[in-house]
Amino acid sequence: MSTSQNLDTVVIDPIPPQLPKKFLSNLRKHACMVGVHAGFSDKDYTKGRYNLIHRLCPIDQLMPVQNTDVRQTFLQVVSKLGYPALACEMIRLGGRIDAPDSIGQTALFHVVKEYCKVQHHMDDPDSYPTTGHHKSDTTLNFNGLTCLQMLCKATTKDWELIGLLVTHGAHDDVTGRIAYKFSKAEQRRLDELFHSGESGRPPRQCPCLSGRIVSECHGNGPTPYPSDFLCPCRSRSVHAKCCERRMVLWLEVWDEEKGILEPWRVETPVHLPLPKDTFRIVSKLMGATEDTSPPPEELCRLDDVPSVMTEIGIPPELQEKADWAAHLEDLFRMKLVDPAFAFAMTRVQWNIRPLGRRLPKSFGEFCARSYNEYVDEYIATRRDGRGKLNIEIAAKLGPSCGALSRVCEVDDCSKQEGRNVAKLKMCQKCKMTVYCGVQCQKAHWKVHKSICGTPLQTEQPLPSQRVLHESMATAVVEIVSDLIQRLKHGDPERYLQLFPEGVPADFEKDMNIPLD
């Protein structure tokens, strides 16, 4: 499923820096930033940054450079333009300093080259003779010139940078030492650097720019997604004003293989209103070696299909016995669900239910939109004698997959959106439960306060959604009760071993089913 938008038709506001506030504050105070444009408000890079931040393209994807035949990564482009802050942002997103452009040069090479020019340490480095080729990212060369050689060739040598390159794997250049006319003191200093670097590269620093090494930062486990970064759900809002407000939890996870930080969503599994011990009892009946229960949560990647679209919410051992599509067909034949609802549900091919704060708003809008298109298709068949408005009220979904046309929550109030009121008012705390007025809200508070604003709260379902899920829950209880009674009458000894204290009252229904 893809919920990304066509950026050619969408106006994108300036994207805030995707950098830690403390790091950015310190960077702006650094001498290298004096008189330097940060670049975050540059509209020429807005679309590119948006795509890279939301992983809509590879972080090291090559893009054409204006008026040239060269293709470079975004990190190379902003590095050559002298935008340190944007370069840091790309590194945090996973951009590699050793990723080559279309002619084999890396961001590291460009930076060292421009640094040497600015410092007046050397002439045009492209004019230097070939002195050999090495494969390490810190020794990658262009026309035989390496980053280390550029720094060593300089009249005034930056030993801090030279040491940094040596520490991270730069190779020695014996021929170059003679050509660069090193003094004996410089020879000894370089020897010491290479000798101290024989122990291997230092541990990798975390790309989040915290200053800690990976194993002590994101490599030690997932961390909360930054509130002031663009929300991973691709809504174009910052996380604090989007999913974080909806209580949808995103985490940053270190991908060791890719060497990047990825946003993962914490997803609460879907469930039907089943008795508390249903999963445990089913696992015992099916011979599981350990008691099982629904996982409290799981981590999902950005583009993983949400579990609400793949899970029914019952023990997996009973999937074949309580398939929602077959159950929906039975309810349709008994005229217990709306025909337009049944038509649309069987065509979207997943059990759409109210999402509440379970998923990002964009997912809910996608699900509702795809479902509602089938309701429109049903209306277009003209097989239903009801008017269009009546069908839409009975079957269409709102943006979070609950009822589009909601009814006042108070039981004895029948006011409904689209019929006798344009739009109901929402509870200002949870912004989900709806009422026709203050009087009904006060009357319903004793019922509503226990669920108001909690993570598991969902929008008001369509009547057909409620019937489907309650009926399926009842069917599951009946199936489990049947299995328990068969075991109890067919193998009482094993029954006592599995349930020495008996089973919950919900499952003590004697179904009077004859034994096989």
Side-chain angles (χ1 to χ4, degrees), residues 52-53 55 57-63 73-75 89-91 93-96 260:
L52 294 171
I53 291 167
R55 310 310 199 268
C57 64
I59 186 65
D60 290 319
Q61 177 173 296
L62 297 182
M63 55 191 70
T73 67
F74 197 91
L75 175 58
E89 180 182 74
M90 290 303 107
I91 291 173
L93 293 173
R96 296 188 299 117
I260 62 173

Side-chain angles (χ1 to χ4, degrees), residues 36-50:
V36 175
H37 179 43
F40 294 115
S41 60
D42 195 324
K43 294 183 179 179
D44 291 338
Y45 304 118
T46 299
K47 180 178 177 180
R49 289 178 62 217
Y50 182 93

Side-chain angles (χ1 to χ4, degrees), residues 16-29 40 92 208-210 226-229 238 240-241 244:
Q18 307 296 285
L19 292 171
K21 288 184 177 180
K22 183 177 180 180
F23 174 86
L24 184 58
S25 176
N26 291 335
L27 178 63
R28 284 172 168 159
K29 297 174 184 176
F40 294 115
R92 194 190 191 285
C208 75
L209 304 174
S210 64
S227 297
D228 54 330
F229 283 21
V238 294
K241 296 182 179 180
E244 189 176 89

Side-chain angles (χ1 to χ4, degrees), residues 1-5 50-51 53-57 230-237 242-243 250 302-303 360 362:
M1 184 187 75
S2 175
T3 58
S4 59
Q5 303 181 35
Y50 182 93
N51 287 338
I53 291 167
H54 287 312
R55 310 310 199 268
L56 297 175
C57 64
L230 280 186
C231 194
C233 75
R234 299 170 181 167
S235 65
R236 306 196 310 279
S237 297
C242 189
C243 283
W250 288 89
L302 181 64
D303 290 320
S362 57

Side-chain angles (χ1 to χ4, degrees), residues 348-403:
V348 294
Q349 298 183 341
W350 63 74
N351 184 10
I352 292 181
R353 66 198 78 201
L355 301 180
R357 298 181 176 88
R358 195 183 305 275
L359 291 172
K361 186 177 180 180
S362 57
F363 283 105
E365 290 174 339
F366 171 84
C367 294
R369 183 169 60 251
S370 59
Y371 165 92
N372 287 339
E373 287 173 355
Y374 285 113
V375 175
D376 290 332
E377 182 179 324
Y378 174 84
I379 293 172
T381 64
R382 299 187 179 182
R383 68 177 68 174
D384 196 318
R386 295 176 295 171
K388 177 181 177 182
L389 178 61
N390 288 333
I391 297 174
E392 289 180 336
I393 289 175
K396 279 205 169 181
L397 299 176
S400 288
C401 295

Side-chain angles (χ1 to χ4, degrees), residues 476-488:
V476 169
V477 172
E478 291 177 351
I479 291 170
V480 177
S481 297
D482 178 13
L483 293 172
I484 290 173
Q485 293 303 321
R486 288 177 183 275
L487 177 65
K488 185 176 182 180

